[in-house]
Amino acid sequence: AAAAPADAAEAPTLAAVYGVFRDAELHLARLAQVDADLEVAVGRLVDSPGEVRELSARLQIDAGRLRVPFTATIGGAVIEGALSADATTGVPGYGLRLAARDAPAGGLALLLFDLPYVAGTVHRFDADFTASGRTLVELVRDLEGRVGIEGARLSYGNYAGARPVDMHIAAADLAQPRGQTIAAPVRGSLRG
C-alpha cells in the first residue's frame, strides 16, 4: 500500500460518514443470489472513521444473510465485533456488536460520539445495535441499541491552553429502545 499523501484529509467520524450516506439506498436483494465465505486482512483502511488498522474479518453470506465477525484497531482501541444483515425479510434488518477492553478513551469518544479532546482509558466497552430499513435515515429512526461502559477514567478539554477536567465512570448503561427516548443510568464522578 502506498503512503497517504501529506495533505490527506483527517479520517472522518461516524457522524461525517452518516452525513454523506444518509439518503443512499441499501440494496441487499442480491445477497440471496450469493453464497460466500471469505477471510480478509487489511493493514490500514484509508479515509475511514477512527483510523482503522490491523483489520481481520470473515465475510459469510448464506441464503440472503450476511455475517461479518471482525477484529480491528480503531482509534487506538482493539475492537472485536460482528456486523450482520438479513435480506430475507421485506425490510432488510441489520445488527452491529462491538466490544473493547482496556481501550484508550480518546479514539472511542471521537469515533462513536464525535467528541474531541478526550483522554484516558475505558476498562470495558460493549455496544449492541439493531435496526431495519432501506436507507441510513430509516435505520436511525428504527434503531434499538445499548452501550455499556465500565471503569472509565478520563479527562476532557485536553487541548493547548486548557485545564483538562477529570472524571470517572464506574458504570454506565445507555439504552435506546426502539421508538423511545434514550435512558442512561450512570455512576461515577465529575470534575475529579
Side-chain angles (χ1 to χ4, degrees), residues 5-45:
D7 61 347
E10 196 172 309
T13 64
L14 288 179
V17 171
Y18 174 79
V20 172
F21 292 106
R22 58 170 291 188
D23 295 318
E25 287 279 337
L26 305 171
H27 299 286
L28 290 187
R30 291 187 181 140
L31 279 184
Q33 301 170 358
V34 176
D35 286 332
D37 193 338
L38 176 69
E39 291 189 32
V40 177
V42 177
R44 178 174 172 252
L45 287 179

Side-chain angles (χ1 to χ4, degrees), residues 6 31 47 62 92 120 138-139 143 145 179:
L31 279 184
D47 293 332
D62 183 23
E138 289 178 10
L139 292 178
L143 183 67

